[in-house]
Amino acid sequence: MYKKFTVSFFLLFLLAVIPAAKINSQTPPAIISRAAVLMDAATGTILFTKNPDEQIPPASLTKLMTIYIALSEVKAGHISLDHEIIPPRESWAINQPPRSSLMFLADGQRTTLGELLLGLAVPSGNDAAVAVALCFAPTVKDFTEIMNLNAAALGMSNTHFDEPSGISEFNMTTASDFAEFCRIYIQTFPEALQDLHSVREFAYPKAENVAQVFRNRPGTIVQRNGNRLLGVLDGVDGLKTGYIDEAGYNIALTAKRGDTRFLAVILGAPVAGGDQIRNDDGKALINWAFDNFKTLYLPAPDPGTPRVWKGKTNNVSLTINEPLECTVPIDRGLDIYQKIELNTPLIAPLEAGSKAGEVIYYDNAGELRRIPLITAETIEQGGFFKRLFDSIRLFFSKK
């Protein structure tokens, strides 16, 4: 059974995880940073690695986990972005470690959770990290335990958090762990890219944040997003940069062009090069990915309701339990052919979820992907005479 489809760039399906092997294509760029992972954000297909499992302090990339926890609480309905917060003393800018990046929280201010998250995402405020932590836990240490529980639940086996801002050299992660985390983050909170991570500037405090007596002169400070590739590299809309002496320069970088989004995590660009090496490595990897690969959204199969023998019913509905998107070289998938192969005969009893065949996708250059077809329902065995009658028919159908 063959069907031909022409790919439509407007064919949309929900993003989902699809583990896949690394794809080989043209030689990837040489990068200077210590570690990196480049992947297709939709499929999880890894396109490039360099020292993916080397543990390196994430620096302010740590704040992405802090934001993730806060957004999870918002999504669960436990709090709103408009929730008003009086910054506790521990979070004031004057109480942060030397050389901290700051949102400039201070005594007498009122802010909101949404503003604190912007203060984390744009100027990378360590004070904002403390304030968010104390919004969800009695102490920063308690919040850090929540961070590590989330990391473990997300499979970040080589990651450990020591505090929520990233200033500590005892925070540790790997490019592999953090790239997968960022992919989950983007899929879980896609709106965060527009609402937080692609915002270019952040002004704080504003008149409404300070006491009445200071509203005519609130002392507003305007700070730029630390991701200097926003508006410079085509399609970039996130995520976060970071730096401490012990790590060097880090970046979690994502860009979308057309229907394809790539994600790169780069750790340990040398201190001597400043953020230029980090940015050059990010540009090189993202541009190489778009030059060589794309996300292909396959059309849904229509396997019909094939015949089932010796069952209480004669037909079964089939479905798939894998996502339809896959990562392919840029010149593949211009025309797509679909072939359905069934495991015939299908004989009851059949449990729901049993493999009944597969759908095979091709283009003019060859096979693209195989996806199992599984039964959508349980088909129980029929009665004695039904089984006997179907056995006779099956016998003669093989002659």
Side-chain angles (χ1 to χ4, degrees):
M1 184 188 306
Y2 290 89
K3 294 183 181 179
K4 178 179 176 181
F5 298 84
T6 300
V7 174
S8 168
F9 290 108
F10 300 101
L11 183 63
L12 301 178
F13 293 95
L14 294 176
L15 299 179
V17 183
I18 170 173
K22 187 189 295 183
I23 294 177
N24 295 317
S25 185
Q26 297 182 16
T27 303
I31 67 167
I32 298 173
S33 300
R34 284 167 57 189
V37 166
L38 170 71
M39 66 167 58
D40 183 327
T43 68
T45 301
I46 296 174
L47 305 173
F48 173 90
T49 64
K50 178 181 178 181
N51 300 325
D53 299 319
E54 180 180 352
Q55 286 190 308
I56 297 172
S60 283
L61 301 193
T62 300
K63 295 182 174 79
L64 288 174
M65 178 59 82
T66 303
I67 296 171
Y68 175 87
I69 292 170
L71 291 179
S72 297
E73 291 296 304
V74 172
K75 187 173 184 178
H78 299 155
I79 195 170
S80 77
L81 292 174
D82 296 326
H83 178 74
E84 187 176 80
I85 295 167
I86 299 175
R89 180 183 295 272
E90 192 174 350
S91 72
W92 298 348
I94 60 172
N95 292 327
Q96 302 314 304
R99 300 173 62 193
S100 285
S101 51
L102 298 168
M103 175 181 171
F104 293 103
L105 296 174
D107 186 15
Q109 293 180 0
R110 292 179 179 272
T111 185
T112 65
L113 178 60
E115 284 181 307
L116 289 176
L117 297 186
L118 275 170
L120 281 168
V122 183
S124 196
N126 290 2
D127 48 355
V130 174
V132 170
L134 295 177
C135 184
F136 297 105
T139 68
V140 171
K141 181 179 179 181
D142 290 327
F143 184 81
T144 305
E145 291 181 7
I146 296 172
M147 296 174 71
N148 286 314
L149 287 171
N150 274 267
L154 294 170
M156 301 171 72
S157 57
N158 291 311
T159 296
H160 175 78
F161 294 109
D162 187 59
E163 48 77 40
S165 74
I167 198 168
S168 169
E169 70 271 27
F170 298 111
N171 291 309
M172 281 291 169
T173 194
T174 65
S176 180
D177 268 10
F178 213 82
E180 179 63 14
F181 164 67
C182 287
R183 189 189 63 80
I184 294 169
Y185 177 95
I186 290 170
Q187 290 188 341
T188 308
F189 305 111
E191 70 283 356
L193 293 175
Q194 178 179 333
D195 296 344
L196 299 174
H197 302 296
S198 61
V199 176
R200 304 287 184 86
E201 291 184 342
F202 179 72
Y204 188 89
K206 297 178 181 178
E208 61 267 24
N209 299 119
V210 299
Q212 184 69 42
V213 67
F214 298 117
R215 289 191 177 175
N216 290 330
R217 44 185 181 86
T220 303
I221 299 170
V222 179
Q223 298 184 76
R224 290 179 59 198
N225 195 312
N227 186 355
R228 301 295 191 252
L229 294 179
L230 288 168
V232 173
L233 181 60
D234 183 24
V236 168
D237 54 3
L239 295 167
K240 188 81 183 67
T241 60
Y243 170 84
I244 57 173
D245 293 343
E246 295 83 359
Y249 288 89
N250 301 337
I251 189 169
L253 180 66
T254 186
K256 185 177 182 182
R257 300 176 190 173
D259 288 334
T260 298
R261 176 179 293 283
F262 291 117
L263 166 68
V265 169
I266 298 168
L267 302 176
V271 174
D275 62 1
Q276 188 61 50
I277 292 174
R278 170 186 71 189
N279 292 347
D280 288 345
D281 285 350
K283 286 181 185 178
L285 288 176
I286 291 294
N287 282 331
W288 175 78
F290 280 110
D291 287 345
N292 288 278
F293 303 99
K294 66 184 178 184
T295 308
L296 183 64
Y297 294 87
L298 299 168
D302 181 15
T305 54
R307 180 75 158 86
V308 178
W309 301 90
K310 304 183 184 181
K312 285 187 175 180
T313 58
N314 290 331
N315 299 90
V316 64
S317 298
L318 301 182
T319 187
I320 59 173
N321 61 359
E322 293 184 11
L324 288 165
E325 58 264 30
C326 59
T327 307
V328 298
I330 194 72
D331 59 349
R332 297 291 301 275
L334 300 179
D335 291 301
I336 300 176
Y337 303 86
Q338 181 188 115
K339 179 183 178 182
I340 290 176
E341 292 185 350
L342 296 176
N343 301 335
T344 54
L346 295 173
I347 300 176
L350 282 174
E351 294 292 328
S354 301
K355 183 178 177 181
E358 58 187 4
V359 55
I360 308 168
Y361 293 94
Y362 304 86
D363 65 2
N364 292 331
E367 185 175 316
L368 290 165
R369 185 155 176 235
R370 292 173 178 247
I371 301 178
L373 291 167
I374 61 173
T375 54
E377 58 204 335
T378 295
I379 304 296
E380 296 179 357
Q381 199 172 58
F384 173 77
F385 290 106
K386 178 67 163 59
R387 299 197 307 273
L388 177 63
F389 182 71
D390 279 359
S391 295
I392 295 170
R393 292 187 63 185
L394 276 172
F395 176 79
F396 285 104
S397 69
K398 295 176 183 178
K399 293 292 187 179

